[in-house]
Amino acid sequence: MKRSFLSIVRKELIHIFRDRQSLFMVLTMPLLMLLLYGYAITLDMKAIDIIVADHSASPESRELIRHIEATDFFKVSVYKGGVAHIGEIFQNREAQCVLEIPRDYGETIRAGLPVQLQLSIDASDPNAANFIQNYVSRVASLSFADQTMLFSLEPRIFYNPDMRSAPFFIPGLIALILLLICALLTSIAIVREKETGTMEQLLVSPVKPVQIILGKVLPYTFLGFFDGLMILVVGSLLFHVPIQGSVLLIMAMMLVYVVTGLSLGMLVSTVAKTQSVAMLAAITMTVLPSMLMSGFIFPISSMPRIFQLVSRIIPATYFIEIIRGIVLKGNDLHNLYKPASILLGLDAVLIALSIRAFKIRLE
């Protein structure tokens, strides 16, 4: 019995290393997705075009402009005078915001009185508009730092002091890519066996269905785990994402998550009759829910109630919480036992469903 099982594992490994499509999926596709999504999905903003209309032309207004120019967030154009048609500027995309410094700016500052600056923002992109408003307020407060104020606010930023997007998105990308690759690998491999007719040859051999299932899944478990480690190392080094917690804990939870993806792939393979259908079903079941409803980009608490309920059955929801907790906050198992327990429970349900469905198909 053991020999038959090992023979199936050996056959599957030989098949993987001879099949260019499988090798591409295992070795190249995760890295390509990491690079494309890692660089494309970001909330960091740079070189925002801003027009500063300096009506004051005083040392104080030049000091304010110097503060704005000192950061790479803005690309500053200074107008010595008013801006007549702000609407046209936004229509022609000459700038995303216009800051007007009033004529009495210098005198008001020297008198120690409150001063009003007018900031016009193109809010067709509301997130960008919010960033611009906050950033200009911050720059203006820095330029008034030597003035007496009624109170001051000193924020303390935890876990991501530079507030970069990469430490937030790269762990989520690992969850997204790993689930997709694992589901694709198993679903396509099993459906290909059905298409070529080799599955019937396995069925007439003296091997039990459970041995067939485990023998086909085991090699992909190692490959999926290898993919996960590769994405973690490359993502951490390339995007400068330090890992605050235990790497061993990440690896352990990654192994659990790989089994989740492989079980999903087996479920897909029981209903798909062609490789193209299997690929489409695997992508639909993994990428869309994981990207939109797992908290990868949008906070789950901001979603409608029905989507919040759906997010609870998406495995990526729990793995993203786990890996972000370990990478960003240095969480240990004591902090993460709830999502880890739920992920293990989902694994048990998916494995039971996939084995049952697979047995029915084999019979």
Side-chain angles (χ1 to χ4, degrees), residues 112-123:
L113 298 174
V115 63
Q116 285 192 335
L117 304 171
Q118 186 182 60
L119 178 66
S120 305
I121 304 175
D122 176 0

mmCIF file with all atom_site columns, all heavy atoms in Angstrom, residues 112-123:
data_model
loop_
_atom_site.group_PDB
_atom_site.id
_atom_site.type_symbol
_atom_site.label_atom_id
_atom_site.label_alt_id
_atom_site.label_comp_id
_atom_site.label_asym_id
_atom_site.label_entity_id
_atom_site.label_seq_id
_atom_site.pdbx_PDB_ins_code
_atom_site.Cartn_x
_atom_site.Cartn_y
_atom_site.Cartn_z
_atom_site.occupancy
_atom_site.B_iso_or_equiv
_atom_site.pdbx_formal_charge
_atom_site.auth_seq_id
_atom_site.auth_comp_id
_atom_site.auth_asym_id
_atom_site.auth_atom_id
_atom_site.pdbx_PDB_model_num
ATOM 1  N N   . GLY A 1 112 ? 1.136   87.790 14.924  1.00 0.00 ? 112 GLY A N   1
ATOM 2  C CA  . GLY A 1 112 ? 0.750   86.645 15.749  1.00 0.00 ? 112 GLY A CA  1
ATOM 3  C C   . GLY A 1 112 ? -0.728  86.341 15.691  1.00 0.00 ? 112 GLY A C   1
ATOM 4  O O   . GLY A 1 112 ? -1.281  85.744 16.622  1.00 0.00 ? 112 GLY A O   1
ATOM 5  N N   . LEU A 1 113 ? -1.377  86.755 14.612  1.00 0.00 ? 113 LEU A N   1
ATOM 6  C CA  . LEU A 1 113 ? -2.822  86.522 14.475  1.00 0.00 ? 113 LEU A CA  1
ATOM 7  C C   . LEU A 1 113 ? -3.084  85.305 13.595  1.00 0.00 ? 113 LEU A C   1
ATOM 8  O O   . LEU A 1 113 ? -2.224  84.904 12.791  1.00 0.00 ? 113 LEU A O   1
ATOM 9  C CB  . LEU A 1 113 ? -3.480  87.761 13.848  1.00 0.00 ? 113 LEU A CB  1
ATOM 10 C CG  . LEU A 1 113 ? -3.353  89.049 14.669  1.00 0.00 ? 113 LEU A CG  1
ATOM 11 C CD1 . LEU A 1 113 ? -3.912  90.226 13.874  1.00 0.00 ? 113 LEU A CD1 1
ATOM 12 C CD2 . LEU A 1 113 ? -4.105  88.895 16.003  1.00 0.00 ? 113 LEU A CD2 1
ATOM 13 N N   . PRO A 1 114 ? -4.281  84.691 13.733  1.00 0.00 ? 114 PRO A N   1
ATOM 14 C CA  . PRO A 1 114 ? -4.619  83.553 12.859  1.00 0.00 ? 114 PRO A CA  1
ATOM 15 C C   . PRO A 1 114 ? -4.657  83.993 11.400  1.00 0.00 ? 114 PRO A C   1
ATOM 16 O O   . PRO A 1 114 ? -5.094  85.109 11.086  1.00 0.00 ? 114 PRO A O   1
ATOM 17 C CB  . PRO A 1 114 ? -6.008  83.133 13.343  1.00 0.00 ? 114 PRO A CB  1
ATOM 18 C CG  . PRO A 1 114 ? -6.150  83.715 14.691  1.00 0.00 ? 114 PRO A CG  1
ATOM 19 C CD  . PRO A 1 114 ? -5.342  84.970 14.711  1.00 0.00 ? 114 PRO A CD  1
ATOM 20 N N   . VAL A 1 115 ? -4.207  83.132 10.529  1.00 0.00 ? 115 VAL A N   1
ATOM 21 C CA  . VAL A 1 115 ? -4.176  83.453 9.101   1.00 0.00 ? 115 VAL A CA  1
ATOM 22 C C   . VAL A 1 115 ? -4.948  82.379 8.341   1.00 0.00 ? 115 VAL A C   1
ATOM 23 O O   . VAL A 1 115 ? -4.949  81.207 8.734   1.00 0.00 ? 115 VAL A O   1
ATOM 24 C CB  . VAL A 1 115 ? -2.718  83.551 8.609   1.00 0.00 ? 115 VAL A CB  1
ATOM 25 C CG1 . VAL A 1 115 ? -2.007  82.228 8.740   1.00 0.00 ? 115 VAL A CG1 1
ATOM 26 C CG2 . VAL A 1 115 ? -2.658  84.034 7.164   1.00 0.00 ? 115 VAL A CG2 1
ATOM 27 N N   . GLN A 1 116 ? -5.623  82.798 7.285   1.00 0.00 ? 116 GLN A N   1
ATOM 28 C CA  . GLN A 1 116 ? -6.410  81.848 6.496   1.00 0.00 ? 116 GLN A CA  1
ATOM 29 C C   . GLN A 1 116 ? -5.783  81.678 5.122   1.00 0.00 ? 116 GLN A C   1
ATOM 30 O O   . GLN A 1 116 ? -5.536  82.663 4.415   1.00 0.00 ? 116 GLN A O   1
ATOM 31 C CB  . GLN A 1 116 ? -7.843  82.330 6.345   1.00 0.00 ? 116 GLN A CB  1
ATOM 32 C CG  . GLN A 1 116 ? -8.667  82.148 7.624   1.00 0.00 ? 116 GLN A CG  1
ATOM 33 C CD  . GLN A 1 116 ? -10.152 82.354 7.371   1.00 0.00 ? 116 GLN A CD  1
ATOM 34 O OE1 . GLN A 1 116 ? -10.528 83.048 6.428   1.00 0.00 ? 116 GLN A OE1 1
ATOM 35 N NE2 . GLN A 1 116 ? -10.977 81.765 8.215   1.00 0.00 ? 116 GLN A NE2 1
ATOM 36 N N   . LEU A 1 117 ? -5.513  80.426 4.767   1.00 0.00 ? 117 LEU A N   1
ATOM 37 C CA  . LEU A 1 117 ? -5.020  80.088 3.432   1.00 0.00 ? 117 LEU A CA  1
ATOM 38 C C   . LEU A 1 117 ? -6.160  79.406 2.688   1.00 0.00 ? 117 LEU A C   1
ATOM 39 O O   . LEU A 1 117 ? -6.896  78.617 3.281   1.00 0.00 ? 117 LEU A O   1
ATOM 40 C CB  . LEU A 1 117 ? -3.815  79.143 3.516   1.00 0.00 ? 117 LEU A CB  1
ATOM 41 C CG  . LEU A 1 117 ? -2.625  79.622 4.342   1.00 0.00 ? 117 LEU A CG  1
ATOM 42 C CD1 . LEU A 1 117 ? -1.611  78.499 4.499   1.00 0.00 ? 117 LEU A CD1 1
ATOM 43 C CD2 . LEU A 1 117 ? -1.964  80.818 3.666   1.00 0.00 ? 117 LEU A CD2 1
ATOM 44 N N   . GLN A 1 118 ? -6.275  79.710 1.399   1.00 0.00 ? 118 GLN A N   1
ATOM 45 C CA  . GLN A 1 118 ? -7.326  79.042 0.613   1.00 0.00 ? 118 GLN A CA  1
ATOM 46 C C   . GLN A 1 118 ? -6.709  77.916 -0.200  1.00 0.00 ? 118 GLN A C   1
ATOM 47 O O   . GLN A 1 118 ? -5.771  78.137 -0.972  1.00 0.00 ? 118 GLN A O   1
ATOM 48 C CB  . GLN A 1 118 ? -8.006  80.037 -0.324  1.00 0.00 ? 118 GLN A CB  1
ATOM 49 C CG  . GLN A 1 118 ? -9.193  79.392 -1.039  1.00 0.00 ? 118 GLN A CG  1
ATOM 50 C CD  . GLN A 1 118 ? -9.857  80.350 -2.008  1.00 0.00 ? 118 GLN A CD  1
ATOM 51 O OE1 . GLN A 1 118 ? -9.241  80.832 -2.949  1.00 0.00 ? 118 GLN A OE1 1
ATOM 52 N NE2 . GLN A 1 118 ? -11.112 80.637 -1.757  1.00 0.00 ? 118 GLN A NE2 1
ATOM 53 N N   . LEU A 1 119 ? -7.223  76.708 0.011   1.00 0.00 ? 119 LEU A N   1
ATOM 54 C CA  . LEU A 1 119 ? -6.726  75.535 -0.724  1.00 0.00 ? 119 LEU A CA  1
ATOM 55 C C   . LEU A 1 119 ? -7.865  74.982 -1.573  1.00 0.00 ? 119 LEU A C   1
ATOM 56 O O   . LEU A 1 119 ? -8.895  74.551 -1.053  1.00 0.00 ? 119 LEU A O   1
ATOM 57 C CB  . LEU A 1 119 ? -6.242  74.465 0.256   1.00 0.00 ? 119 LEU A CB  1
ATOM 58 C CG  . LEU A 1 119 ? -5.747  73.172 -0.370  1.00 0.00 ? 119 LEU A CG  1
ATOM 59 C CD1 . LEU A 1 119 ? -4.478  73.410 -1.186  1.00 0.00 ? 119 LEU A CD1 1
ATOM 60 C CD2 . LEU A 1 119 ? -5.492  72.112 0.694   1.00 0.00 ? 119 LEU A CD2 1
ATOM 61 N N   . SER A 1 120 ? -7.692  75.023 -2.891  1.00 0.00 ? 120 SER A N   1
ATOM 62 C CA  . SER A 1 120 ? -8.687  74.454 -3.817  1.00 0.00 ? 120 SER A CA  1
ATOM 63 C C   . SER A 1 120 ? -8.152  73.116 -4.307  1.00 0.00 ? 120 SER A C   1
ATOM 64 O O   . SER A 1 120 ? -7.008  73.025 -4.760  1.00 0.00 ? 120 SER A O   1
ATOM 65 C CB  . SER A 1 120 ? -8.911  75.393 -5.011  1.00 0.00 ? 120 SER A CB  1
ATOM 66 O OG  . SER A 1 120 ? -9.275  76.677 -4.555  1.00 0.00 ? 120 SER A OG  1
ATOM 67 N N   . ILE A 1 121 ? -8.994  72.081 -4.220  1.00 0.00 ? 121 ILE A N   1
ATOM 68 C CA  . ILE A 1 121 ? -8.541  70.728 -4.542  1.00 0.00 ? 121 ILE A CA  1
ATOM 69 C C   . ILE A 1 121 ? -9.455  70.115 -5.597  1.00 0.00 ? 121 ILE A C   1
ATOM 70 O O   . ILE A 1 121 ? -10.685 70.233 -5.517  1.00 0.00 ? 121 ILE A O   1
ATOM 71 C CB  . ILE A 1 121 ? -8.558  69.830 -3.280  1.00 0.00 ? 121 ILE A CB  1
ATOM 72 C CG1 . ILE A 1 121 ? -7.708  70.446 -2.174  1.00 0.00 ? 121 ILE A CG1 1
ATOM 73 C CG2 . ILE A 1 121 ? -8.055  68.429 -3.609  1.00 0.00 ? 121 ILE A CG2 1
ATOM 74 C CD1 . ILE A 1 121 ? -7.785  69.684 -0.857  1.00 0.00 ? 121 ILE A CD1 1
ATOM 75 N N   . ASP A 1 122 ? -8.851  69.450 -6.566  1.00 0.00 ? 122 ASP A N   1
ATOM 76 C CA  . ASP A 1 122 ? -9.603  68.651 -7.539  1.00 0.00 ? 122 ASP A CA  1
ATOM 77 C C   . ASP A 1 122 ? -9.950  67.327 -6.849  1.00 0.00 ? 122 ASP A C   1
ATOM 78 O O   . ASP A 1 122 ? -9.090  66.452 -6.694  1.00 0.00 ? 122 ASP A O   1
ATOM 79 C CB  . ASP A 1 122 ? -8.739  68.416 -8.778  1.00 0.00 ? 122 ASP A CB  1
ATOM 80 C CG  . ASP A 1 122 ? -9.422  67.507 -9.790  1.00 0.00 ? 122 ASP A CG  1
ATOM 81 O OD1 . ASP A 1 122 ? -10.551 67.065 -9.528  1.00 0.00 ? 122 ASP A OD1 1
ATOM 82 O OD2 . ASP A 1 122 ? -8.809  67.228 -10.849 1.00 0.00 ? 122 ASP A OD2 1
ATOM 83 N N   . ALA A 1 123 ? -11.222 67.183 -6.424  1.00 0.00 ? 123 ALA A N   1
ATOM 84 C CA  . ALA A 1 123 ? -11.623 66.013 -5.639  1.00 0.00 ? 123 ALA A CA  1
ATOM 85 C C   . ALA A 1 123 ? -12.283 64.941 -6.499  1.00 0.00 ? 123 ALA A C   1
ATOM 86 O O   . ALA A 1 123 ? -13.045 64.117 -5.989  1.00 0.00 ? 123 ALA A O   1
ATOM 87 C CB  . ALA A 1 123 ? -12.555 66.426 -4.512  1.00 0.00 ? 123 ALA A CB  1
#
